[in-house]
Amino acid sequence: MHPCFKPLFEIPNSVCSMPCQMGFRRASRQGEAPCCFDCVPCSEEEISDPKDSTECFPCPAEQMPSDRRDSCIPKPIEYLSYQEPLGIVLTTVSLLCSLLSLCIVVVFIKHNQTPIVKANNLLLSYMLLLALVLCFACPLMFIGQPRSLNCLLRQVTFGIAFALCVSCILAKTVTVIMAFRATKPDSPLQKWFGFKVPYCITATCSLIQLLICICWLILSPPSQQLNFQYSIKRILNECNDGSTWAFWLMLGYMSFLASVTLVVAFLARKLPDSFNEAKMITFSMLVFVSVWVSFVPAYLSTRGALMVSVEIFAILASSFGLLSCIFFPKCYIILLRPDVNTKEHIMGRRKVNKEKKRGING
């Protein structure tokens, strides 16, 4: 008997299959009558609205299928929020490290006449500390809902702040070298050793990064965008960097400055001083370079809010490496070991004794 016909004592049906519910579509059975079909669930990206539908339909880009695949619902928007645990932790660390840097500024101002503070260009130390405050504050521009203004400024601010940091460290390292070399009789460095040289280095190196960022903002500025292709279940609210080449050029220049500073500090680490700042700068730049070398593969292998978190972690870790290696030993001596915060200890007893003898003989 043909499956589309039933005995007279039964209630007749025009089909041999029950109607498909919403979220399913008809799929004809091969080799059987047209009235016989299977109900196949729609794919994860599609719905079927009416009952007994023969086709499934995709949702608009800003919507996704419900769990039953019978209607479209709005996609949640994803970004690194201040309310989620990771955002709270990163915000707290950023604020605490900024406050710690400001506290070190206060300590240096209060003890600005002590030898340990005056040992290597006090004004450069203040500039470096304030640049570190700005670096620690940069992650606050990465957390929260991306908007046009913070998308435009956050990478640029980060690049300029770190260029200023590394430029100050390079200038401090050069100052250490010149301070020792210029003390030799008839040294050609004596005419260069003065107030202007370290600030020229800082200004020139920072200005190059500033010009890179200005060209970036003029030619292909970053902007806020909604990424609908990120996931079928979420919309990613992110910042489009505009020019990928400009972003990597900014990082490349910062890496170049850090490498030059590391090499110069490494060469100056054995200068004869009881408190040679070049040693601390070498350690700080090793930490700095290690963090950013690790950052590149981690950044390229992540997406969405996790990518932003990776960049924030690199900013905080490298900034804390600079702060701890350069300034923590000084603060330890200033606050806990004032007995060694003397000219004899900083310059070395032999050098001070020679200076006293020269004064007596003169």
Side-chain angles (χ1 to χ4, degrees), residues 6 49 304:
K6 300 295 181 181
D49 190 8

Side-chain angles (χ1 to χ4, degrees), residues 97 132 136 162 169 280-289 291 313-329:
C97 290
L132 284 172
F136 283 125
F162 269 97
I169 295 172
M280 296 181 289
I281 291 175
T282 302
F283 285 120
S284 69
M285 297 313 299
L286 280 174
V287 174
F288 185 89
V289 172
V291 169
F313 177 80
I315 292 172
L316 293 176
S318 56
S319 301
F320 189 78
L322 297 179
L323 183 70
S324 58
C325 292
I326 296 177
F327 292 103
F328 281 10

Side-chain angles (χ1 to χ4, degrees), residues 6 112 141 144 173 196 200 206 222 290 301 306 319 341:
K6 300 295 181 181
N112 63 353
M141 301 182 69
T173 309
K196 296 181 180 180
C200 289
S206 302
S290 300
S301 62
L306 190 58
S319 301
N341 191 3

Side-chain angles (χ1 to χ4, degrees), residues 141-142 146 149-159 239 308:
M141 301 182 69
F142 289 78
L149 183 60
N150 63 352
C151 284
L152 188 68
L153 296 179
R154 69 183 190 179
Q155 297 287 14
V156 172
T157 304
F158 145 69
C239 289
V308 177

Side-chain angles (χ1 to χ4, degrees), residues 71-195:
S71 62
C72 292
I73 58 176
K75 289 182 181 179
I77 299 178
E78 177 183 316
Y79 57 89
L80 184 59
S81 170
Y82 284 107
Q83 283 74 38
E84 61 183 281
L86 182 58
I88 293 173
V89 170
L90 293 175
T91 301
T92 303
V93 172
S94 176
L95 293 175
L96 289 177
C97 290
S98 299
L99 182 61
L100 178 61
S101 301
L102 290 174
C103 290
I104 294 177
V105 173
V106 173
V107 170
F108 270 51
I109 292 175
K110 187 176 180 180
H111 300 85
N112 63 353
Q113 296 302 318
T114 58
I116 194 71
V117 176
K118 298 167 63 177
N120 186 245
N121 203 313
L122 182 58
L123 187 54
L124 270 181
S125 297
Y126 289 146
M127 291 173 60
L128 176 56
L129 282 168
L130 293 177
L132 284 172
V133 172
L134 185 58
C135 290
F136 283 125
C138 278
L140 300 179
M141 301 182 69
F142 289 78
I143 305 172
Q145 184 174 355
R147 301 185 185 278
S148 300
L149 183 60
N150 63 352
C151 284
L152 188 68
L153 296 179
R154 69 183 190 179
Q155 297 287 14
V156 172
T157 304
F158 145 69
I160 295 174
F162 269 97
L164 179 59
C165 273
V166 180
S167 300
C168 289
I169 295 172
L170 178 59
K172 287 172 74 69
T173 309
V174 172
T175 302
V176 171
I177 296 175
M178 293 181 67
F180 281 97
R181 302 303 183 194
T183 55
K184 295 182 179 181
D186 301 326
S187 172
L189 291 177
Q190 287 184 350
K191 62 180 180 180
W192 296 103
F193 185 68
F195 180 80

Side-chain angles (χ1 to χ4, degrees), residues 39-73:
C39 293
V40 179
C42 295
S43 68
E44 292 184 358
E45 301 180 13
E46 296 179 321
I47 65 164
S48 67
D49 190 8
K51 287 186 177 182
D52 215 19
S53 176
T54 57
E55 294 182 10
C56 294
F57 307 94
C59 290
E62 68 276 6
Q63 296 181 335
M64 66 177 184
S66 62
D67 291 337
R68 298 178 59 184
R69 300 190 183 109
D70 57 357
S71 62
C72 292
I73 58 176

